[in-house]
Amino acid sequence: MASIPEKGVFLSQSLACIFTISMLFLILSSSLLFQFGDNSSVSKSIYNLIIDNNTLDHINNESCFKLDPVKPANSCDENRALLKVFMYDLPPWFHFGLLGWKGNQNPNRIWPDVSNLSEIPKYPGGLNLQHSIEYWVTLDLLSSVSSNVSRPCTAILVQNSSQSDVIFVPFFSSLSYNRRSKIHGSKKHSMDRILQENLVKYLKGRDEWIRSGGKNHLIIAHHPNSMLLARKHFVSSMFVLADFGRCPVHIANIDKDVIAPYKHVVRRLDADDSPSFEERHLLVYFQGAIYRKDGGIIRKKLHSLIKDEEGVHFTFGSAASGGGVRKASQGMISSKFCLHIAGDTPSSNRLFDAIASHCVPVIISDDIELPFEDVLDYSKFAIFVPALDALRKGYLMKVLRGVGRQKWIEMWERLKQIAPYFEYGYPSQTGDAVDMIWHAVRRKICSLHDSGGRRRNRYQMSQNFLKS
Ligand SMILES: *[C@@H]1O[C@H](CO)[C@@H](O)[C@H](O)[C@H]1NC(C)=O
Ligand SMILES: *[C@@H]1O[C@H](CO)[C@@H](O)[C@H](O)[C@H]1NC(C)=O
Ligand SMILES: *[C@@H]1O[C@H](CO)[C@@H](O)[C@H](O)[C@H]1NC(C)=O
Ligand SMILES: *[C@@H]1O[C@H](CO)[C@@H](O)[C@H](O)[C@H]1NC(C)=O
Ligand SMILES: *[C@@H]1O[C@H](CO)[C@@H](O)[C@H](O)[C@H]1NC(C)=O
């Protein structure tokens, strides 16, 4: 079988690997000692809950982390919460009104009663869902003051903005883009544009905005095309984004903004149901659209390079139509590796579909930004290949075939552990995507280090697989 390397190859790789890991460990442990002295064990215990142990080298301000792990509870109070959030009472047409919610026959109501599941409006399904982050975050915030909902007490809604850490702007911008961008009849502008203009007007008239110039405001614009008109007014605010593909660096950048995962569209595997190395008969899977821009060129070239190799499934086609999601799901759970190749933007839900399918992601997208990378070491469960290398004849297949069974199983085990960090749902749970986003917001507010150090690690692994 082409996908299982010879014993000798595997042995020399593991030696190289062990050597690298022990060196890293040595460096990390000395830097931990240096930074934390005797307190290191205290900080670590908080982070065992969710995060890679050896990412603590990035944390340089312990006061950013409360000492009690934030457990789910039926009541949350301001003293226990990690993050106090003030939320504007924007009129419903900026948020749940976009879902058809009409205040339950009461025109004065702004928010649904989130303690009653049947009163919560549903978000539209299909591909809309991949950018539904705005919805889950808003629901979580509302439920933080509802006595009937059990959730982690990470963020709490507060009524007094001067006592908040951050001010949340509850505009469902991705939904507005997806559902209200068309210009109807004789109208001059789309509803999406009108909402953006009204939002800018609203914010600029608020004391909270005037006081800070928007600095401590949190704005979700996850769809790459969402809020494109308004973004330039929010340069000092903190965005929650999918990537920085359509944003000039003075508007959005990793120093001030948070990258959130897409909501995956394939079914999530239970850790117990995950097909094993032997059960995944494909080596590598890719299904996606062809784009005309940069990413598309890589996709086409890669396609012609590897499509005829043994164990490769590489086809073009949209996941949206004709049972595509079900087929993609089937393909991913039958594969050891899943390609994530840059498309018209550096990120896509395909990465998160791969994670949900416990299919080791192979990331060929040099400009991708990854969620929570400051605390999560992606090189433990994903393989990064620079685009230029991937286009060299034979390179990619050599890297993938160089990953031995043992190494693959390690990555797969880690995938099963980290998959819950990318799950959105209601109510929110400890260590799920919403909880992780609040933690990431907290870290940004504390202006902790960016993920630069972690990014430099990305390509080390794929180099190791080549050594033989
Ligand atoms: C971190 O270390 C602790 C023990 O020190 C261990 O129990 C835990 O599983 C580790 N977490 C991760 C993510 O490796
Ligand atoms: C609170 O939750 C319980 C159980 O989840 C449910 O039966 C009850 O109706 C809820 N109360 C309200 C006011 O929604
Ligand atoms: C929950 O909401 C539904 C629909 O609005 C309503 O019929 C039901 O009485 C509510 N349940 C509770 C416990 O308030
Ligand atoms: C809000 O908090 C500030 C600062 O703590 C306080 O001075 C002010 O009185 C509070 N406002 C209200 C309405 O409670
Ligand atoms: C650490 O974070 C706290 C809380 O946000 C802040 O008050 C303090 O100034 C920070 N310290 C440093 C050294 O950045």
Side-chain angles (χ1 to χ4, degrees):
M1 288 250 315
S3 53
I4 301 175
E6 314 255 319
K7 269 199 189 115
V9 177
F10 174 60
L11 202 67
S12 67
Q13 274 163 6
S14 8
L15 283 177
C17 198
I18 288 167
F19 181 73
T20 319
I21 289 170
S22 13
M23 283 310 286
L24 272 176
F25 191 74
L26 208 72
I27 295 165
L28 279 173
S29 46
S30 44
S31 72
L32 278 178
L33 277 175
F34 177 70
Q35 286 191 5
F36 290 113
D38 286 334
N39 292 328
S40 62
S41 58
V42 179
S43 307
K44 252 190 229 173
S45 69
I46 314 158
Y47 259 57
N48 284 345
L49 192 62
I50 42 177
I51 305 292
D52 279 320
N53 286 333
N54 61 4
T55 52
L56 282 169
D57 56 330
H58 293 283
I59 295 168
N60 65 354
N61 187 342
E62 286 182 70
S63 61
C64 293
F65 299 88
K66 289 232 176 149
L67 297 187
D68 308 322
V70 196
K71 293 231 173 72
N74 266 330
S75 67
C76 187
D77 65 66
E78 293 182 20
N79 297 322
R80 289 205 310 131
L82 211 55
L83 202 60
K84 295 197 269 290
V85 186
F86 175 81
M87 175 164 74
Y88 290 119
D89 279 332
L90 280 176
W93 57 80
F94 284 102
H95 43 84
F96 289 98
L98 287 165
L99 296 166
W101 184 72
K102 297 201 169 64
N104 231 8
Q105 275 80 50
N106 179 349
N108 295 323
R109 277 184 61 187
I110 296 176
W111 303 109
D113 172 9
V114 296
S115 68
N116 183 347
L117 276 183
S118 52
E119 220 194 270
I120 299 177
K122 296 273 180 295
Y123 203 88
L127 291 181
N128 287 297
L129 268 176
Q130 32 173 356
H131 298 294
S132 55
I133 291 65
E134 51 208 21
Y135 172 77
W136 306 109
V137 168
T138 307
L139 284 179
D140 181 56
L141 211 47
L142 290 170
S143 69
S144 71
V145 287
S146 164
S147 59
N148 214 22
V149 183
S150 174
R151 63 180 275 283
C153 182
T154 306
I156 190 168
L157 192 61
V158 297
Q159 295 305 320
N160 185 339
S161 62
S162 30
Q163 286 168 6
S164 68
D165 301 307
V166 68
I167 296 176
F168 181 60
V169 179
F171 174 38
F172 289 0
S173 59
S174 299
L175 190 64
S176 175
Y177 172 75
N178 274 335
R179 286 297 174 92
R180 299 288 194 279
S181 301
K182 288 210 181 70
I183 299 174
H184 289 289
S186 58
K187 299 236 172 63
K188 222 167 142 201
H189 299 306
S190 71
M191 192 52 163
D192 181 45
R193 178 174 177 155
I194 293 167
L195 284 175
Q196 291 183 54
E197 288 168 354
N198 276 295
L199 183 68
V200 172
K201 242 183 266 166
Y202 176 94
L203 290 176
K204 296 206 162 165
R206 293 287 304 216
D207 288 344
E208 289 85 357
W209 184 275
I210 294 164
R211 266 203 301 275
S212 67
K215 205 163 183 196
N216 48 1
H217 284 58
L218 182 66
I219 297 175
I220 303 187
H222 198 265
H223 192 295
N225 291 341
S226 64
M227 258 204 261
L228 279 187
L229 290 165
R231 284 183 191 196
K232 61 174 180 287
H233 297 281
F234 305 150
V235 290
S236 50
S237 305
M238 186 190 296
F239 284 114
V240 176
L241 301 169
D243 59 46
F244 299 121
R246 305 237 162 107
C247 259
V249 68
H250 74 278
I251 292 184
N253 58 71
I254 196 68
D255 289 335
K256 72 173 183 71
D257 301 315
V258 167
I259 299 297
Y262 290 60
K263 183 169 165 52
H264 60 80
V265 297
V266 305
R267 185 175 67 89
R268 176 165 74 116
L269 278 181
D270 283 338
D272 299 338
D273 288 341
S274 189
S276 64
F277 184 86
E278 282 75 19
E279 287 163 342
R280 293 173 186 253
H281 60 273
L282 282 173
L283 178 65
V284 54
Y285 181 87
F286 177 83
Q287 165 106 40
I290 303 190
Y291 294 98
R292 279 154 290 156
K293 295 176 209 158
D294 318 348
I297 297 163
I298 298 179
R299 287 183 181 189
K300 255 185 259 171
K301 283 192 183 157
L302 258 183
H303 178 253
S304 61
L305 273 176
I306 69 169
K307 66 177 195 302
D308 296 327
E309 296 277 347
E310 193 187 336
V312 174
H313 171 101
F314 193 134
T315 55
F316 290 117
S318 160
S321 57
V325 171
R326 209 177 51 247
K327 258 188 261 165
S329 177
Q330 198 51 47
M332 287 181 165
I333 65 176
S334 313
S335 298
K336 298 179 181 70
F337 298 100
C338 286
L339 296 183
H340 175 85
I341 315 170
D344 62 345
T345 56
S347 69
S348 81
N349 70 310
R350 199 166 290 106
L351 171 63
F352 306 99
D353 285 343
I355 292 172
S357 311
H358 308 151
C359 177
V360 173
V362 178
I363 299 174
I364 306 170
S365 179
D366 298 348
D367 298 325
I368 195 171
E369 289 296 339
L370 298 163
F372 324 131
E373 200 182 9
D374 54 343
V375 291
L376 215 52
D377 184 350
Y378 277 72
S379 70
K380 295 230 179 82
F381 56 86
I383 293 173
F384 293 88
V385 181
L388 275 178
D389 284 338
L391 294 178
R392 281 158 53 192
K393 194 166 191 298
Y395 186 96
L396 185 60
M397 296 311 291
K398 192 167 180 210
V399 168
L400 298 186
R401 288 181 179 139
V403 182
R405 178 174 183 277
Q406 206 53 45
K407 181 69 212 170
W408 184 87
I409 289 173
E410 267 171 42
M411 297 181 116
W412 173 64
E413 293 290 356
R414 186 67 185 134
L415 269 177
K416 291 192 282 185
Q417 283 173 353
I418 57 93
Y421 305 154
F422 301 94
E423 285 299 318
Y424 290 95
Y426 180 80
S428 178
Q429 291 173 22
T430 302
D432 73 0
V434 169
D435 198 25
M436 292 289 280
I437 289 171
W438 290 130
H439 277 94
V441 168
R442 172 73 176 157
R443 291 194 298 274
K444 285 294 177 210
I445 289 174
C446 285
S447 62
L448 294 179
H449 283 185
D450 68 12
S451 53
R454 186 61 66 203
R455 286 169 65 94
R456 279 188 290 278
N457 270 353
R458 282 181 180 177
Y459 295 107
Q460 231 161 36
M461 270 310 191
S462 68
Q463 292 297 322
N464 289 342
F465 298 131
L466 286 173
K467 292 182 193 138
S468 51

